[in-house]
Amino acid sequence: MSFATANNIIGFYSQWYQSRFEEDILKKQAIPSSRDILQVKDLSSTDVLDKLTDFLGPTIEKMENSQPISFTIPSRGKKYQFYDSARNRYLLENNMATKLSSGGTSVRAANTVFVMMIIYELLRNGKRTTLRAIYYKVAPMFKNQKECDSTIDDIACFLLCRRENLNIVAADKGEVVGNLSYTVEGDRIECLKRSQVIPDSKGLAGIQSKARFILVIEKHSTFFELCEHQFFDKMPCILITARGYPDVTTRRFLNILSVELKIPVFGLFDSDPFGFHIFSVYKCGSENMSYDSANLTTPDMKWLGILPSDIGKYNIPRFCGINMTEYDILSCHRMLREKNIVSDHDSLKCLQRIMVTDNILLSQHPMAT
């Protein structure tokens, strides 16, 4: 297929996509749910500071006077996480099921209050930091980074705000290149000549693009190859990679581009359990971040790449793939139990195909195909 033909097809699809995008979004927002959903909001630093002040003032006073403290926060446990097939994303049921006090959960209660105090100082001084930097400050209080990160997510749920509103971001990971420009805190960023680190959404404005589509790429090596060949010049597009599993910043950035530009989003991933899982995180979100799924998902994302059924369909030689390991097979079994996979007929069929065929995994790297 020539680039001219491909451009015509993409142009037709883009027009159709734009015509139905806003209508589809409004329909999904209006869909009722049988469960009360916990929905966080994008709050200003002032609003978050006010909420922290209202909570920390009397709480710290009690602690200083050696009085017991007790408060409840939303639980993000699996009991309250659920997949909504109509919206095609994970959600969190509204609840205040976790009680923290100076009794049985005294350590967790104290740790949560202490991290809130760090967040308060960050916001008061207009500073930002990373998840890793927070952990280094409080490492003796937590078993590991994961436990510290979970506490920060709990605080965001408690304050009904996004994690970014706490002025805490993940370390830079994602990259973007192509027909795109935007402003970050007053600086104009052009992505057409070289790739840029994906910014967090705070201070992001003035997004402009003539791209016809967005292509999300699993592997940085593939992203690099396409950059070297100036693919985004031949087919006006935006290329994004998070070097494997996407971080929150990349997922939010893709969500913003999808909503503002109203152009199709495609994903190029390996045809293996990890590729399908990465695709599902971009598309449907994750259980852990279900409280903020509205801002972190791209439900209309389409798979672009090799599928397990293509092995037989196009007589792809075995040497183009690799044999599944035990870990791959276990990962496949685990994914087959996930609610979003079970509800998605195409993904379910692909994973089942991997399990019942020759157990060959295919890479989307240009040199492998």
Side-chain angles (χ1 to χ4, degrees):
M1 183 188 295
S2 67
F3 274 114
T5 304
N7 264 314
N8 288 336
I9 293 172
I10 289 168
F12 175 80
Y13 182 67
S14 296
Q15 289 176 3
W16 170 83
Y17 186 89
Q18 288 175 356
S19 69
R20 59 168 286 280
F21 184 87
E22 290 185 359
E23 181 183 351
D24 192 51
I25 290 294
L26 289 171
K27 282 181 180 177
K28 286 181 178 178
Q29 288 174 345
I31 294 169
S33 175
S34 58
R35 301 165 78 168
D36 186 20
I37 302 168
L38 187 148
Q39 298 187 62
V40 298
K41 295 181 180 179
D42 210 349
L43 300 182
S44 67
S45 295
T46 302
D47 289 338
V48 179
L49 268 172
D50 288 343
K51 287 191 171 192
L52 283 171
T53 301
D54 290 343
F55 173 77
L56 288 174
T59 301
I60 293 173
E61 186 178 348
K62 285 182 180 179
M63 294 173 75
E64 288 175 341
N65 294 324
S66 300
Q67 295 176 350
I69 61 169
S70 179
F71 58 97
T72 57
I73 62 173
S75 170
R76 295 182 299 109
K78 288 194 177 292
K79 177 181 176 182
Y80 299 99
Q81 299 166 349
F82 66 100
Y83 173 72
D84 188 312
S85 57
R87 292 179 175 86
N88 194 22
R89 55 185 166 91
Y90 281 104
L91 297 170
L92 184 67
E93 184 176 352
N94 194 17
N95 73 92
M96 293 295 280
T98 301
K99 184 176 181 179
L100 302 180
S101 66
S102 49
T105 55
S106 57
V107 173
R108 187 177 174 188
N111 289 354
T112 301
V113 171
F114 187 70
V115 174
M116 282 186 182
M117 291 167 65
I118 294 175
I119 293 168
Y120 178 86
E121 288 301 315
L122 282 173
L123 293 165
R124 191 171 67 89
N125 295 312
K127 303 291 184 183
R128 283 186 290 174
T129 191
T130 63
L131 290 168
R132 193 65 177 167
I134 290 285
Y135 176 62
Y136 285 147
K137 289 182 179 180
V138 297
M141 301 164 60
F142 293 94
K143 294 177 183 176
N144 49 44
Q145 173 85 56
K146 186 177 179 180
E147 188 178 70
C148 180
D149 292 351
S150 182
T151 298
I152 292 168
D153 285 326
D154 286 342
I155 293 170
C157 273
F158 176 69
L159 298 174
L160 293 178
C161 68
R162 302 192 59 246
R163 192 172 73 187
E164 282 186 354
N165 299 150
L166 305 179
N167 279 13
I168 300 173
V169 298
D172 295 335
K173 183 182 178 185
E175 287 185 52
V176 60
V177 71
N179 197 305
L180 176 69
S181 64
Y182 50 84
T183 300
V184 178
E185 296 179 346
D187 295 328
R188 194 66 189 166
I189 309 297
E190 300 286 344
C191 302
L192 195 55
K193 296 199 174 175
R194 63 190 179 105
S195 65
Q196 302 287 341
V197 173
I198 289 177
D200 64 76
S201 62
K202 197 166 188 176
L204 178 65
I207 295 172
Q208 292 182 342
S209 175
K210 292 182 180 179
R212 290 189 166 191
F213 64 94
I214 300 168
L215 181 61
V216 180
I217 303 162
E218 176 186 348
K219 288 183 174 173
H220 186 265
S221 56
T222 307
F223 176 85
F224 181 79
E225 292 262 355
L226 293 174
C227 288
E228 285 293 290
H229 288 87
Q230 299 288 297
F231 177 76
F232 44 83
D233 278 340
K234 297 169 184 173
M235 298 185 75
C237 66
I238 299 166
L239 305 180
I240 288 176
T241 185
R243 303 168 185 257
Y245 278 95
D247 55 304
V248 169
T249 301
T250 302
R251 288 164 59 190
R252 176 58 177 154
F253 185 72
L254 179 62
N255 171 277
I256 291 171
L257 292 187
S258 173
V259 171
E260 291 208 11
L261 300 179
K262 301 178 182 63
I263 56 177
V265 180
F266 301 101
L268 187 60
F269 306 98
D270 282 349
S271 184
D272 62 16
F274 300 103
F276 282 106
H277 196 244
I278 292 168
F279 174 62
S280 75
V281 171
Y282 276 113
K283 187 174 181 177
C284 310
S286 62
E287 291 178 311
N288 188 49
M289 296 294 292
S290 56
Y291 69 91
D292 197 17
S293 63
N295 297 300
L296 300 177
T297 55
T298 308
D300 289 325
M301 186 183 204
K302 304 297 181 187
W303 177 279
L304 180 69
I306 300 170
L307 294 169
S309 57
D310 293 336
I311 297 173
K313 188 175 181 180
Y314 299 108
N315 296 315
I316 298 174
R318 290 183 64 92
F319 65 78
C320 289
I322 57 174
N323 292 318
M324 288 181 73
T325 64
E326 255 185 67
Y327 187 66
D328 291 327
I329 294 170
L330 286 172
S331 298
C332 207
H333 279 298
R334 186 175 64 250
M335 284 190 67
L336 286 169
R337 293 193 296 269
E338 292 190 10
K339 294 170 185 175
N340 63 315
I341 298 296
V342 173
S343 299
D344 185 342
H345 177 70
D346 291 335
S347 297
L348 182 63
K349 196 162 70 172
C350 286
L351 286 170
Q352 288 172 336
R353 180 91 183 192
I354 289 176
M355 297 299 295
V356 299
T357 55
D358 292 334
N359 289 349
I360 297 294
L361 305 179
L362 297 172
S363 170
Q364 40 80 354
H365 192 283
M367 300 304 291
T369 57

